[in-house]
Amino acid sequence: MTRIIRPVHPADADRICAIYNHYVATTTISFEEEPVAATEMQQRIADVTAAELPWLVMVDGDTLIGYAYATKWRARAAYRYSVESSIYLDPDYAGRGAGGTLYEALLAELSQHDLHLVIGGIAQPNEASVRLHERLGFRKVAHFSEVGLKFGRWVDVGYWQLALN
């Protein structure tokens, strides 16, 4: 099948939820504890696009297999040149290059905006995500110990950043 990367459509929300809710239910990659409904995901998509930030999806044939997007890092005006990136893949496609291709497309899109810095927060441990970020040029800049509690255990979060210009 041919993989394409395109901007998200509101109708993608159901499939995005199917991918994301797997991580919510089974991992500490997301700190959400309850599944996200399609209506909530549609609102999240609308919020990102209203902020004029990219939300991209990767489609393999007729199947949406992953998505990546950026959100404002913080609300205060001085942070307006920094964004936080997120990427999620259908677990069946992990480890086969789709994540790198999708993330590169997101970074290319972000470089077309008036932005300076991309920040990736990674719940630890997550060696695959660390490798992906570092392969794309991100460098680790922070580590917060026991910042989240999920599945009855404390989880650390590391932060990696990449300067776009």
Side-chain angles (χ1 to χ4, degrees), residues 33-56:
E33 297 177 309
E34 298 297 326
V36 175
T39 53
E40 170 62 21
M41 191 61 72
Q42 287 172 334
Q43 185 59 56
R44 293 178 188 190
I45 292 167
D47 291 345
V48 169
T49 56
E52 298 182 359
L53 291 170
W55 186 314
L56 303 176

Side-chain angles (χ1 to χ4, degrees), residues 68-140:
Y69 64 95
T71 56
K72 293 178 182 181
W73 169 243
R74 300 275 179 154
R76 293 193 176 122
Y79 293 116
R80 69 187 171 277
Y81 300 104
S82 297
V83 294
E84 184 170 10
S85 57
S86 295
I87 181 169
Y88 289 90
L89 286 179
D90 180 316
D92 291 339
Y93 290 84
R96 295 196 258 160
T101 301
L102 181 55
Y103 213 148
E104 287 171 349
L106 178 67
L107 294 174
E109 180 71 25
L110 290 170
S111 71
Q112 301 302 309
H113 291 69
D114 189 20
L115 297 170
H116 176 65
L117 199 67
V118 182
I119 300 163
I122 306 171
Q124 297 298 299
N126 187 338
E127 290 303 316
S129 187
V130 169
R131 277 193 312 273
L132 174 61
H133 282 81
E134 291 180 350
R135 188 172 70 244
L136 294 172
F138 285 75
R139 65 181 177 86
K140 188 174 185 180

